[in-house]
Amino acid sequence: MHSDVVASRSAEHRDSRESRNGGGPQLDAVSLAIIEQLQEDGRRPYAAIGKAVGLSEAAVRQRVQKLLDQGVMQIVAVTDPLTVGFRRQAMVGVHVEGDVESVADALTAMSECEYVVMTAGSFDLMVEIVCEDDDHLLDVINRRIRAVPGVRSTESFVYLKLKKQTYMWGTR
Amino acid sequence: MHSDVVASRSAEHRDSRESRNGGGPQLDAVSLAIIEQLQEDGRRPYAAIGKAVGLSEAAVRQRVQKLLDQGVMQIVAVTDPLTVGFRRQAMVGVHVEGDVESVADALTAMSECEYVVMTAGSFDLMVEIVCEDDDHLLDVINRRIRAVPGVRSTESFVYLKLKKQTYMWGTR
DNA sequence: CGGCAAGACTGCGAAATCCGCAAGTCTCAG
DNA sequence: CTGAGACTTGCGGATTTCGCAGTCTTGCCG
């Protein structure tokens, strides 16, 4: 029963993503497979996962726990912001003068900033904002964000319609 | 034990987000509380959730199942793309001529497009791309995306560093 | 007003799952 | 050769999940 996936494990182990990984502990094919299972259903029983990836229930349990502890993945509920009462969202591009990282930290501290990333290109920072209504959005963008020291200017892209949102990294 | 949250339920029920919701079934305070519990830990037992929100285990189970069925939330594993072997990410702004929605659909169909949203502002579309390496990224942006009929031009923002990524909608 | 169907919740066993633990195997590195 | 690390198998006990019957409330209708 543990043929395919397990068989390829040792070979898979020392192949790639060893050098410039970005910091994460490298994952082998089995852990990837476990993650894929949990991306389909975060509550899937360990035994079922084990059957799917070719591992015992106990081994799956250990691995999942480790992945969780290491922060490689987390098992959470994700929702559509609209149905939870947040009616306005926007992506905001930020031009920064001076230290980009400190500005990023300041934005990260705001609960309305759902997503903060440093970028190369005409913006130094891109930030996703989730708000309850227009007033809230206006307040966050024009008052809070622009008040952060180092923010030279911003450009906003209000969301009209969310077309796709996946959590299937590695599943393809 | 079921005082606070439950007591406010009927009052909470017909207050807001009734009119322009965007389509989702309105959520009462209890469902919100359940979601918050599962945002902290997607595998938290129903009994524990019930204790926290003031409901029986069976009731929580029903509500969670309904939320799942309705598509209001999903319980999944989320990972840091870096640790899963995707070393290049970018946000791409797209200028469209003609039907924006059809372009959006085309982009949605690409597995590398993790996130597709129609926006107001200088871009018609914003797309998040997740790739394995530079070649892959280049291919997706310059060949695949620009080949979509209706795409006039694009601007890319390569990710340098992801500072924040939350799934805590409603938890604040 | 009485009846009644629908929806939401509780309580309760039975089945399944989770969890820790021990012993034995296998492989790799020193 | 030896130790460390990862897996497997097996095993109980605690916990959780699950299905179902029964209760309560609400709104509808003759």
Side-chain angles (χ1 to χ4, degrees), chain A residues 80-154:
Chain A
D80 173 13
L82 266 308
T83 59
V84 193
F86 295 100
R87 288 187 283 255
R88 286 294 176 272
Q89 289 177 264
M91 185 69 71
V92 178
V94 183
H95 298 284
V96 175
E97 53 191 357
D99 184 22
V100 177
E101 193 118 18
S102 69
V103 174
D105 288 335
L107 297 179
T108 296
M110 299 183 190
S111 65
E112 290 89 351
C113 297
E114 187 63 32
Y115 195 67
V116 177
V117 55
M118 297 168 60
T119 58
S122 71
F123 292 123
D124 300 299
L125 241 34
M126 304 231 43
V127 186
E128 189 184 59
I129 311 287
V130 179
C131 289
E132 298 180 17
D133 52 40
D134 290 325
D135 288 340
H136 191 189
L137 183 61
L138 185 67
D139 180 63
V140 171
I141 293 176
N142 282 345
R143 246 158 291 287
R144 313 257 308 277
I145 292 183
R146 292 191 177 164
V148 174
V151 173
R152 192 207 305 266
S153 62
T154 65

Side-chain angles (χ1 to χ4, degrees), chain A residues 43-44 74-75 78-79 108 113-116 118 120 122 128 155 158 160-161 163-164 166 169 172, chain B residues 42-44 74 78-79 108 113-116 118 120 122 128 130 155 158 160-161 163-164 166 169:
Chain A
R43 278 183 165 253
R44 186 162 297 169
Q74 43 186 329
I75 300 175
V78 295
T79 61
T108 296
C113 297
E114 187 63 32
Y115 195 67
V116 177
M118 297 168 60
S122 71
E128 189 184 59
E155 183 170 353
V158 175
L160 298 178
K161 184 171 188 178
K163 293 289 291 186
K164 181 183 186 181
T166 331
W169 298 308
R172 48 188 199 236
Chain B
R43 275 183 166 254
R44 186 161 296 170
Q74 43 185 329
V78 295
T79 61
T108 295
C113 296
E114 187 64 29
Y115 196 65
V116 178
M118 297 167 59
S122 71
E128 188 184 60
V130 179
E155 184 171 354
V158 175
L160 297 177
K161 184 171 187 178
K163 294 290 291 185
K164 181 183 187 182
T166 332
W169 298 308

Side-chain angles (χ1 to χ4, degrees), chain A residues 17 20-27 32 35 38-46 49 71-87 89 91 101 104-105 107-123 126 128 130-132 136 155-170 172, chain B residues 16-17 20-25 27 32 35 38-46 49 71-87 89 91 101 104-105 107-123 126 128 130-132 136 155-170 172:
Chain A
R17 54 172 152 285
R20 301 276 307 108
N21 192 348
Q26 53 281 30
L27 303 177
L32 252 325
I35 292 176
L38 290 170
Q39 281 174 331
E40 286 175 24
D41 175 7
R43 278 183 165 253
R44 186 162 297 169
Y46 295 131
I49 298 172
V72 174
M73 74 170 181
Q74 43 186 329
I75 300 175
V76 295
V78 295
T79 61
D80 173 13
L82 266 308
T83 59
V84 193
F86 295 100
R87 288 187 283 255
Q89 289 177 264
M91 185 69 71
E101 193 118 18
D105 288 335
L107 297 179
T108 296
M110 299 183 190
S111 65
E112 290 89 351
C113 297
E114 187 63 32
Y115 195 67
V116 177
V117 55
M118 297 168 60
T119 58
S122 71
F123 292 123
M126 304 231 43
E128 189 184 59
V130 179
C131 289
E132 298 180 17
H136 191 189
E155 183 170 353
S156 306
F157 306 92
V158 175
Y159 285 15
L160 298 178
K161 184 171 188 178
L162 185 57
K163 293 289 291 186
K164 181 183 186 181
Q165 184 175 25
T166 331
Y167 308 95
M168 295 294 157
W169 298 308
R172 48 188 199 236
Chain B
S16 63
R17 55 172 153 285
R20 304 273 307 106
N21 191 348
L27 304 177
L32 252 325
I35 291 175
L38 289 170
Q39 280 174 332
E40 286 175 24
D41 175 7
R43 275 183 166 254
R44 186 161 296 170
Y46 296 132
I49 297 172
V72 173
M73 73 169 182
Q74 43 185 329
I75 300 175
V76 295
V78 295
T79 61
D80 173 12
L82 266 308
T83 59
V84 194
F86 296 100
R87 288 187 282 257
Q89 289 177 264
M91 185 70 70
E101 193 118 18
D105 289 335
L107 297 179
T108 295
M110 299 182 190
S111 65
E112 290 89 350
C113 296
E114 187 64 29
Y115 196 65
V116 178
V117 54
M118 297 167 59
T119 58
S122 71
F123 292 123
M126 303 232 44
E128 188 184 60
V130 179
C131 290
E132 298 180 16
H136 190 188
E155 184 171 354
S156 306
F157 306 92
V158 175
Y159 285 15
L160 297 177
K161 184 171 187 178
L162 185 57
K163 294 290 291 185
K164 181 183 187 182
Q165 184 175 26
T166 332
Y167 308 95
M168 296 293 158
W169 298 308
R172 50 191 198 234

Side-chain angles (χ1 to χ4, degrees), chain A residues 10-25:
Chain A
S10 54
E12 202 76 47
H13 189 253
R14 58 179 158 290
D15 65 339
S16 64
R17 54 172 152 285
E18 205 76 352
S19 48
R20 301 276 307 108
N21 192 348

Side-chain angles (χ1 to χ4, degrees), chain B residues 40-102:
Chain B
E40 286 175 24
D41 175 7
R43 275 183 166 254
R44 186 161 296 170
Y46 296 132
I49 297 172
K51 201 156 300 183
V53 307
L55 235 51
S56 70
E57 174 268 343
V60 173
R61 205 189 330 142
Q62 291 175 195
R63 289 178 92 121
V64 168
Q65 194 52 55
K66 189 187 298 181
L67 290 171
L68 257 20
D69 291 343
Q70 290 174 157
V72 173
M73 73 169 182
Q74 43 185 329
I75 300 175
V76 295
V78 295
T79 61
D80 173 12
L82 266 308
T83 59
V84 194
F86 296 100
R87 288 187 282 257
R88 285 295 177 271
Q89 289 177 264
M91 185 70 70
V92 178
V94 183
H95 298 283
V96 175
E97 54 191 357
D99 184 21
V100 177
E101 193 118 18
S102 68

